[in-house]
Amino acid sequence: MNMNKKSKDVRLIEEGYITVIAGPCAIESMEQLDTIAGIVKESGLSFLRAGAYKPRTSPYSFQGLEHKGLEMLKEIGDKYGLYTTTEVTDAETVEEVAKYVDILQIGTRNMSNFALLKKVGVVANKFNRKVILKRGWAATIREWLLAVEYITSKGDAEVILCERGIRTFEPYTRFTLDLSAVPVIKNISKLPIIIDPSHAVGQSDLVIPMSRAAIAVGADGLIVEIHNEPEKALCDGQQALDIKQTQEMLHQVSIIASMLGKKLR
Ligand code: PEP
Ligand code: MN
């Protein structure tokens, strides 16, 4: 069953819209991904996130379903007519990943992996894929923008910046969400920028307020971790919004968006 044919030329960011990308941290099973994709679709959204290769801080944590996960993501994305994004973690697997998803995500731990960035530039150009480049948690804005150029020097892929929190001395949140990066980026570049409140704050009760703030400060979109059973999640369950919280987040964010003359998509 294919609920909605995807247009090949969709842009991740559209004038007048706030793009909300939602989904689990990691693909855990077909059933889990199917359920969460159904929630994303029913919420009126078009973009599904889900990790297949998980670069975990601890080598003893769940590392992702890898190739099997990519296959599941492709199948579920097609079933619901959702655009998909997943993380690419090394240069060797970029081409394999690009065959299965619409948007390649470069995680915070790899923002300065220049061999990976160059490879992503080449592959994104070849397969007409978009690229989300997360900010390294210890990278300055200037270093982040130079990282973009490693990608764009190899083609003309659409690159979207993603602020996901930087490391500071403050332990109450997992990282510190640098919301001022949004107006700074708007002042000095033409690149779109989205916010990942989930990895920044690291706990679900802080995700909604920071999502509201992200839209108010002028971000073009959000990438948010959601889960049908956060307490059973194999990865980052503590920061995932459950179904009710997801609806509440979308409701609150849509109010802020409408004040700015924007709609959610
Ligand atoms: C993720 O999006 O699942 C992720 C690992 O994010 P980050 O690279 O920002 O930690
Ligand atoms: Mn995560």
Side-chain angles (χ1 to χ4, degrees), residues 8-57:
K8 276 210 166 61
D9 293 322
V10 74
R11 291 190 67 77
L12 188 50
I13 303 301
E14 290 276 3
E15 187 69 29
Y17 288 90
I18 298 291
T19 301
V20 182
I21 306 166
C25 179
I27 300 156
E28 299 169 12
S29 67
M30 203 57 185
E31 198 191 358
Q32 171 245 20
L33 194 61
D34 197 334
T35 305
I36 298 175
I39 297 164
V40 172
K41 186 74 187 181
E42 274 172 32
S43 305
L45 304 177
S46 304
F47 295 86
L48 175 68
R49 63 145 288 148
Y53 295 88
K54 296 304 304 174
R56 305 299 299 281
T57 299

Side-chain angles (χ1 to χ4, degrees), residues 25 49 54-55 87 105 107-109 134 164 196 199 225:
C25 179
R49 63 145 288 148
K54 296 304 304 174
E87 183 168 349
Q105 180 182 319
T108 190
R109 293 162 186 79
K134 291 206 172 189
R164 48 78 68 209
D196 174 347
H199 290 90
E225 288 188 346

